[in-house]
Structure formats: structure tokens, C-alpha cells
Amino acid sequence: MIIGRTEEQETLRSAAESEYSELVAVYGRRRVGKTFLIRETFGYKFTFQHTGLAKGNTKDQLFSFAISLRDAGYDDCPFPKSWLEAFNLLSHFLNNSTDDKKIVFLDELPWMDTPRSNFISAFEHFWNGWASARKDIVLIICGSATSWIISKVINDHGGLHNRVTQRIALQPFTLRECEQFARHRQLEMNRYQIAECYMVMGGIPYYWNLLERGQSLTQNIDKLFFATNGKLANEFNQLYASLFKSPELYIAVVTALGKKKAGMTRDEILKSIAQQSNGALSKVLDELEYCGFIRKYNGYGKKSKQAVFQLIDNYTLFYFKFIQQNENNDEHFWSTSIDSAAHRAWSGLAFERLCLVHTRQIKAALGIAGVLSNIYSWRKEADEYSDGAQIDLLIDRNDQVINICEMKFSMSEYAIDATYERNLRNKKTAFINATNTRKAIHLTMVTTYGIRHNSHSGIIQSEVVLDDLFL
């Protein structure tokens, strides 16, 4: 059973129903469910399908390709000596196929592009010289090495320029989809627990599939991340190595961003990682954004060249905060730290990140889904005249209203006290004075179970609760 992915499935089906041949590129981070999506959509039935070999040399890749052709029904398929010959064999096989639409699925395509193999030129020739001239080919390419697909296919300036007819950048699950997945797997989790699990591992289906029924969330996290043979204990290096051919610079960037909650500008990142090439950094930032590891946003009233990059990948931040710091290899690290100050500080920041990837749901809960609006963050450095202020989520609406959103994660109703009320008033005043905005400012609280109404809660104009994020 496939959860969600309605739009993505529609894209794939429309390609199969097109009157012309289609080249579809499906990409996204490791474990997000790309292969599962494609197989489920087509009922595991393809005219031809092949998966590249991880770390296989050219000879092995070609041999494996021929085996796949034989498995598909090309009984006397010879073993090719080059990719040009391999794709010629594929075109011969497809030409003899009786399928009305010939669905070809090439999974882990980047792995086939071994050094000096001339894979790309052969692939270009197959598509441009043969497949695109027909009306019955649907070629679906897929791979976790997102940087390869983006640079070699989607943004190619050579023979594949503008040849991709459909692209699917597969995103992690939303909270709603995670809840559907948990129900399907009969995991006994309430929405608070689902949110906390999302704060640890994000909406990555493979990670959620590892959760065991009958185990508490705390027990599952200990077993997956902190046990000696935990299935996700060594995921960090494997994750970045699978996505990026030379992952060192990518890891350096996310490591730098992981130390700055509010994010960093391009210049700040360059300085932090001692990188000289601005062009190389641009490529890294683009690809990290494509994969959903970081978000790029403009500060309110700032120019685009002053854009800020912020690390929002839950697993990566959880790794930096806890897994990397588990120096004593405590297999029950999460259980023993559940009531610690470090855990409480992490949960507050992690809930903010959860909200940042569910802004569509927040807008719907506020009744402004149909109002044109922009999402910003804003910060003001402290000076000799006033304290600093920071707003992580600001919704600038075309109906002359700005929502300043404050996000708080708690196990019960959140109580605003005198100190916090003063902080909110100061933040609102600082924003108005710094921006000279004439729009109405609405203070909005996004919490798990709402705010407790008391003598300080009247400062809040609107509320969003955890249930709203599951819309």
C-alpha cells in the first residue's frame, strides 16, 4: 500500500498516457521512497527495468545490464562491450516489444556512469536519436545521487538540455502522511508521539518503517540510533555519501549550519568552512536545498543576495545534537536523557523546525490558505539602545496583516507568564520600529495543546495547535 504521493502518481500516470515519448526524472534524498513510488504506481510491471550496481566497474555494469535484458525476455542477448552497444541492444528489445506503451525504469542511474565509460553520451544518443523520435516510450530514471541527476540530466547544457519532460522531486512525508503510515503499520502512537518521532527522523518512510510494534517511542529510538548494532546508528555518513559523489564539502556546510539555529548567509558559510570557491558553494547549497536538507529564505526587508540558509533536516540535527555526542556509547542514551535540560532545549528547537515545514497547514488553520502571502524570518542584533530580537516564522499577507508566529512544544497547555508576555511585546515593538511597517501585527502561538488562558494570554490574537498541523 502506498501512502500519500497522489500528485506524484498522477505525474507518472499522465506520462504513461501521453501521446508522445516521455523522459521522467525522479530524485530525492536516500530512503524517501523513490523506487517504491515508481514500482507501486506501475504495479511492478515494466517492459524493461534495471538497477545500477553500487560501486561496480564498467564491465560489471554492462554485464548486469545484459542480465536484466535477458530477464525481461531477450533470451539470446549478447554481452555488450560499451554503453553504446548496450543501449542499442535495449532499443532492439523495445522495438520488438508488443506493449502499447513501453515503460522503461532505470534505477540508480548515477551508479552506471563509471569513470571513462562514456555512459552519458550513449544515454543521450539513446534518448535523442531513438526514443524521443517515437511515441511509445516512457523512460523513467531514478537515483539517490541527486547531485548527479541535477547536474548531468536536469541542468545539463549538452545533449540532454531540456530533454526531461517530467520531473519529480520526491519530498519526505508530512505529519498527516506519517500518521497514515503509523496506522497502516498498526503502531500505537498518538499525535504528540508522532510529532516527537518526526522531530527525530523527519518524514522519511524508510526510517518510520523500522519502528517496531509493541515498543515505546523511547525504546525504538534507543534501539535504532544508540544500540551497538542500531540500524540507523551509522546512517549519517551513508546518507551523504549516497547522495553526493564527494560528500566532504556538503558535510562541512551542514556541520556549520548545525551550529547556527537562525542560519547563515552565503558569506558566513564561506568564512566558516574556509571555502574559496563561491561557485562550488553555490552548487552545494542548491543541491542540499533540492534534497530538503536546508531551506533558503530572505529575511524580512532584506535583498535576495542577503538570503539566509538554515539546516532543517531533522535527522541531521538529531545526529549532531545527540548521536555524535554519545561518547560513552550508552545504548539507553535516549531513555536516560528524556527529562534532561538538553532534551527540553532540543524539543523546543525541533518543534520549530517541524512548524517550518508545515507552513501550509499553519496558514490553513489561520484561515488564510487562499490569501497571497510570503514566509520570512527576521532578526535584529542587539545594540547599545535595545536588546536583540528574532522571529523564526513570519507570515507577510497581502491583506495588510503580518502574523508573528511563536512556537512552543509542551506536554500540556502552554502558560504565558509575565516575563514571556514582556518578551513578546518587546519583539513586536522591535519589529515595527525596525521595519516601519504599517500592516497590522498579529501575534500567533503555535503549540501542542494550545495556550492556557490567564491574565497574560490576551496578547495573542490567534492560535494554532498540533492537531492543525495534521491537516
Side-chain angles (χ1 to χ4, degrees), residues 82-209:
S82 70
W83 278 114
L84 271 174
E85 185 180 350
F87 279 109
N88 183 61
L89 292 170
L90 175 59
S91 61
H92 174 75
F93 170 73
L94 295 174
N95 202 41
N96 291 326
S97 170
T98 58
D99 293 345
D100 292 333
K101 272 286 177 156
K102 297 151 182 64
I103 312 295
V104 179
F105 177 29
L106 300 181
D107 200 5
E108 297 300 356
L109 192 75
W111 291 348
M112 303 180 213
D113 184 25
T114 51
R116 297 178 298 280
S117 66
N118 294 320
F119 174 81
I120 282 293
S121 61
F123 180 75
E124 288 175 2
H125 180 71
F126 170 74
W127 177 254
N128 293 335
W130 187 81
S132 64
R134 301 169 61 100
K135 292 188 174 184
D136 59 349
I137 304 295
V138 179
L139 176 56
I140 305 167
I141 62 172
C142 180
S144 293
T146 303
S147 61
W148 186 96
I149 289 182
I150 293 169
S151 61
K152 295 292 184 72
V153 180
I154 293 175
N155 292 336
D156 179 63
H157 296 292
L160 291 175
H161 181 64
N162 284 337
R163 299 300 187 184
V164 174
T165 58
Q166 301 283 353
R167 63 179 70 177
I168 298 174
L170 197 60
Q171 300 300 317
F173 279 164
T174 62
L175 278 172
R176 178 181 177 82
E177 291 166 335
C178 286
E179 182 179 48
Q180 293 172 343
F181 189 87
R183 285 176 179 171
H184 174 67
R185 294 212 50 240
Q186 299 180 336
L187 300 172
E188 297 297 328
M189 300 173 71
N190 60 33
R191 286 185 166 179
Y192 184 94
Q193 293 165 332
I194 290 172
E196 188 165 25
C197 188
Y198 197 98
M199 286 152 55
V200 172
M201 59 180 63
I204 306 303
Y206 175 81
Y207 298 168
W208 283 77
N209 197 50

Side-chain angles (χ1 to χ4, degrees), residues 224-294:
L224 290 174
F225 295 97
F226 300 105
T228 302
N229 296 314
K231 293 180 180 178
L232 295 176
N234 298 311
E235 172 71 3
F236 181 81
N237 290 326
Q238 295 175 8
L239 172 62
Y240 286 90
S242 70
L243 286 167
F244 311 112
K245 192 170 184 179
S246 300
E248 295 79 15
L249 186 53
Y250 298 84
I251 292 175
V253 170
V254 296
T255 300
L257 291 175
K259 298 174 183 176
K260 296 288 185 179
K261 168 183 174 289
M264 304 168 73
T265 64
R266 180 189 302 274
D267 289 341
E268 289 171 337
I269 297 171
L270 275 171
K271 183 178 179 181
S272 176
I273 64 175
Q275 172 66 28
Q276 302 299 316
S277 173
N278 198 36
L281 180 60
S282 295
K283 178 175 178 290
V284 168
L285 292 173
D286 285 346
E287 291 172 4
L288 286 171
E289 189 177 4
Y290 268 117
C291 291
F293 288 100
I294 67 175

